[in-house]
Amino acid sequence: MGGKLAGIKIAMLGGDDREAILHKELLHLGAEVEAVGVPGVSAGEDYNCHEALLKAVQGAGAIILPVRGIDQEGLIYAPQSQFPLYITWELAAAIPAGTPVLIGVARPLLKEMAAAHGWQLYETADLDEMAILNAIPTAEGALLLAMQELPITLHGSEAFVIGLGRTGFALARVLDGVGARVTVIDRGAADRARAYREGWQAYPFSDMANIIKQADVIFNTVPALVLTESLLAQTKPEVLIIDLASAPGGTDFEAAAALKRKALLAPGLPGKVAPKTAGLILARIYPTLILNSLQQP
Ligand code: NAP
């Protein structure tokens, strides 16, 4: 079959429903895809994980690891695989220098492997084109969680959003859309001006101690400790905190528990609440990313 990825072998190692959608799109674009641990793609009868992974990466022009990534022991996220899949140093040695390796977020082990073997490592979750689109299902997922957990409607509630980046902005918009009274906390004067332009209240972090007691629900998107014990102590006892920032989040969860505040870390929302949309986002972005990376000198 022709297509812009014709003649390119791509190894897909692990993943969930999102990668299954991406797998279809890569085939549709003519790539030769060897997938191990991707839902719905047969692994064969006589299954030897290491051999299957090795065979997949041999001769591959690009390697796709799951958006959810691999852990620090090298375990590849593959919830529907019957067997655990590991990226080992031996497997890594079979991936030649210059090979594009795509993953959502890379932990130190993978970064070490990439540096040792000279791969082009792409952490796709932080690419603007991915993060801006993923902010939509993330915002909807956060809204869903808030609706499930709150005893009041979001309409008319005091909803705080900490950090007006890609996720924070999309979230503030949907909260506004359902009639919440939106307050944004951000360190940047320009972002606070944008919030003001949208009709939201906007404050710097230095004002948080004065206003946090108004919040019915607080969404954090800042990947640094911002909801400290002293701030948590000033929140309403019935406040709901939804922390969207990457683990460990930006909330002192121990302090929140001690103060009996309900605080939830909510990772991976796009894959949970809208796997099809999240898969289509991958399908939209990865083929071009792979082609561009293969054209690099
Ligand atoms: P982003 O666009 O970079 O926004 C991050 C925001 O945090 C910006 O407003 C940034 O301010 C602010 N910030 C960063 N470090 C700060 C610090 N030390 N003090 C004060 N403010 C700080 O990132 P994003 O794409 O919105 O993602 C935000 C977080 O959500 C990340 O951790 C990401 O991994 C996570 N995420 C989670 C999900 C989920 O499903 N839970 C989905 C997508 C993303 P400046 O602009 O001034 O730097």
Side-chain angles (χ1 to χ4, degrees), residues 125-126 131 134 138 163-168 186-188 191 205 221-224 226 243-246 266-270:
D126 202 39
N134 265 332
T138 306
L164 199 70
R166 296 164 296 198
T167 305
D186 194 281
R187 65 180 172 186
D191 280 331
F205 283 89
T221 72
V222 172
V226 287
D243 201 326
L244 301 168
S246 50
L269 290 176

Side-chain angles (χ1 to χ4, degrees), residues 50-121:
H50 182 69
E51 287 303 314
L53 291 169
L54 206 55
K55 184 165 160 285
V57 303
Q58 274 160 356
I63 312 285
I64 298 178
L65 293 167
V67 174
R68 284 288 291 272
I70 65 169
D71 74 8
Q72 202 34 27
E73 275 68 56
L75 180 67
I76 300 170
Y77 180 76
Q80 292 187 38
S81 169
Q82 269 185 284
F83 305 92
L85 303 173
Y86 283 92
I87 182 159
T88 60
W89 280 96
E90 190 193 343
L91 183 71
I95 302 172
T99 305
V101 176
L102 284 62
I103 188 166
V105 178
R107 287 178 184 257
L109 174 68
L110 194 75
K111 287 185 178 169
E112 256 181 71
M113 289 175 169
H117 293 290
W119 307 333
Q120 299 182 61
L121 182 65

Side-chain angles (χ1 to χ4, degrees), residues 204-226:
F205 283 89
S206 52
D207 283 351
M208 244 171 121
N210 298 327
I211 54 165
I212 200 162
K213 55 183 154 317
Q214 298 163 16
D216 295 310
V217 56
I218 303 172
F219 299 89
N220 174 53
T221 72
V222 172
L225 181 61
V226 287

Side-chain angles (χ1 to χ4, degrees), residues 10-14 19 22 26 62-66 100-102 286 290:
I10 298 173
M12 293 188 73
L13 314 182
E19 279 78 13
L22 173 62
L26 296 175
I63 312 285
I64 298 178
L65 293 167
V101 176
L102 284 62
Y286 275 31
I290 290 171

